[in-house]
Amino acid sequence: MKIRIIKYMLIIICLLNPHAFSQALKLIGPPGGFVEQIAVHPQFTNIVYSSTVYAGAIFRSADGGNTVNPLDAGFKDFFVTQIALPYNEKDYVYIDLSGISIMSSNAGKDWELILNSNYEPHFTFNPLNSDIMYMTRDNESLWRSNDKGKTWFEIKSFPQILDFVAVAPTDTGLIYAVANNSFYKSTDSGKEWIKTFDGGDSIYFSTRKMVVNPQNKNSVYVKSGGWLFKTIDGGKSFKKLISANNFSSFALNPIDTTIIYTTFGDRDFNPVGDILKSVNNGETWNSITNGIPEGIITATAIEINPQNTEELYVGVGGLGAVSYTHLRAHETV
């Protein structure tokens, strides 16, 4: 099997089997911190962005990770909390750096300020029309743009802290929102909202990722702290799929949605992690670390190539510098 590990700023080509670990190194710069964000372009999938947890470091690859170039956004002391890529624009990228939101229309050569806030916003695109964007703002309000983020207007103020929103790919009028321990949805692009679920004392959503099943608009996956929840009835009820202190991220196969990937590892408190795969909607899980030595896995981020779902990008720490691993999903052990 073949696994390609790309480190900032170190490229590693690895040929792995269950009994061997060999690697050839090509140093292209100094080591950095842990990869915290990865974004694969939904249409032009050779374009991959990543960021490290410290120093506002942002990187771009235009060839699927074979070469990786640093981008200078001018915010060296900030933490990148999101990288967002619109479907129908090749060179547009939206970055949030701990409340300072910027965008580039030329692949990171130049940047424009969208918002400077004390709170971390979150960007979501209409999957069929990337001119339409949504942004959580000021901890409680949801805003919309119809012109790629140039102008914004508020569409909803929530009674609780608004963490995350997601648009259903099969019905772009359907938007889901997570606010503290409550789950909301709108069926008219955000004009009217209903609360479908109140977790009370049993569930507290502190969401860092939410994915609507691209084939079933009523199926939604929510990462909240060390838990992965799933609803199959549009947010009326939730089932817990993962519960682990070092659960870091997940990715849903957009073609075969019975397949889910999860990563584990906390860079500070639980560095020995794992990469797991489920082929039955999260009922059971198997490790797919594919021979990477156990002691170096601190898997902090994961994304899937939406057009070639056998390719995963995984942030892997513990190698002495940041890395993200490009592996074949079907090669399991």
Side-chain angles (χ1 to χ4, degrees):
M1 68 183 68
K2 183 177 181 180
I3 295 181
R4 185 170 61 216
I5 294 180
I6 304 164
K7 299 174 65 175
Y8 168 65
M9 305 268 293
L10 193 63
I11 294 183
I12 305 174
I13 306 299
C14 301
L15 297 176
L16 302 182
N17 60 52
H19 307 290
F21 180 79
S22 61
Q23 59 188 25
L25 304 180
K26 180 183 179 182
L27 184 65
I28 59 172
F34 284 91
V35 166
E36 195 73 12
Q37 302 289 333
I38 301 173
V40 182
H41 198 287
Q43 183 175 3
F44 308 101
T45 55
N46 278 334
I47 298 174
V48 183
Y49 287 83
S50 61
S51 69
T52 60
V53 67
Y54 301 118
I58 306 166
F59 310 92
R60 183 181 189 271
S61 174
D63 55 12
N66 288 308
T67 57
V68 181
N69 298 307
L71 302 179
D72 186 2
F75 296 93
K76 298 299 184 183
D77 297 326
F78 288 79
F79 173 40
V80 178
T81 54
Q82 187 189 16
I83 304 172
L85 304 175
Y87 178 82
N88 56 359
E89 294 288 352
K90 185 176 183 179
D91 293 327
Y92 275 66
V93 57
Y94 297 77
I95 306 288
D96 181 70
L97 302 107
S98 305
I100 298 175
S101 300
I102 56 177
M103 64 85 64
S104 173
S105 60
N106 57 8
K109 296 177 182 177
D110 302 290
W111 298 92
E112 300 176 34
L113 179 67
I114 296 177
L115 177 70
N116 189 347
S117 172
N118 292 325
Y119 305 97
E120 297 175 6
H122 171 259
F123 295 108
T124 299
F125 295 97
N126 181 313
L128 302 182
N129 181 0
S130 297
D131 288 353
I132 300 174
M133 299 176 60
Y134 298 92
M135 173 177 61
T136 64
R137 181 172 175 177
D138 299 331
N139 249 12
E140 63 179 16
S141 58
L142 180 62
W143 293 63
R144 173 172 167 156
S145 172
N146 295 327
D147 54 13
K148 297 186 177 70
K150 296 177 182 178
T151 60
W152 296 87
F153 57 94
E154 184 177 358
I155 61 174
K156 172 68 175 177
S157 180
F158 288 81
Q160 300 160 300
I161 295 175
L162 178 63
D163 285 324
F164 215 95
V165 295
V167 182
T170 56
D171 179 0
T172 56
L174 176 60
I175 308 175
Y176 292 102
V178 173
N180 278 10
N181 62 339
S182 297
F183 198 82
Y184 295 83
K185 77 174 181 180
S186 171
T187 59
D188 55 8
S189 300
K191 296 176 183 178
E192 302 292 334
W193 292 83
I194 59 171
K195 182 191 290 189
T196 61
F197 183 84
D198 189 332
D201 296 329
S202 61
I203 292 179
Y204 183 85
F205 292 119
S206 177
T207 305
R208 286 296 173 262
K209 189 170 186 178
M210 177 163 61
V211 175
V212 183
N213 187 322
Q215 299 181 25
N216 181 353
K217 66 181 182 180
N218 293 313
S219 173
V220 187
Y221 295 82
V222 181
K223 180 195 182 309
S224 178
W227 298 280
L228 176 61
F229 295 101
K230 178 184 179 181
T231 177
I232 59 174
D233 54 16
K236 295 178 182 178
S237 62
F238 286 85
K239 179 179 180 179
K240 187 184 297 182
L241 301 181
I242 293 288
S243 178
N245 289 334
N246 64 340
F247 168 52
S248 54
S249 192
F250 74 97
L252 178 68
N253 185 316
I255 296 176
D256 182 352
T257 57
T258 65
I259 298 175
I260 315 167
Y261 302 92
T262 51
T263 52
F264 298 82
D266 184 293
R267 61 184 181 273
D268 296 318
F269 301 106
N270 202 338
V272 179
D274 207 345
I275 307 166
L276 301 183
K277 176 182 180 180
S278 174
V279 296
N280 54 9
N281 298 294
E283 295 296 327
T284 58
W285 301 87
N286 294 299
S287 176
I288 59 165
T289 52
N290 287 331
I292 301 173
E294 178 180 299
I296 68 171
I297 298 177
T298 306
T300 52
I302 184 168
E303 290 297 336
I304 190 168
N305 182 334
Q307 295 182 18
N308 180 4
T309 56
E310 292 186 348
E311 293 185 354
L312 303 176
Y313 291 85
V314 183
V316 177
L319 291 172
V322 130
S323 66
Y324 57 90
T325 302
H326 179 211
L327 68 152
R328 297 292 180 181
H330 69 281
E331 294 179 329
T332 60
V333 295

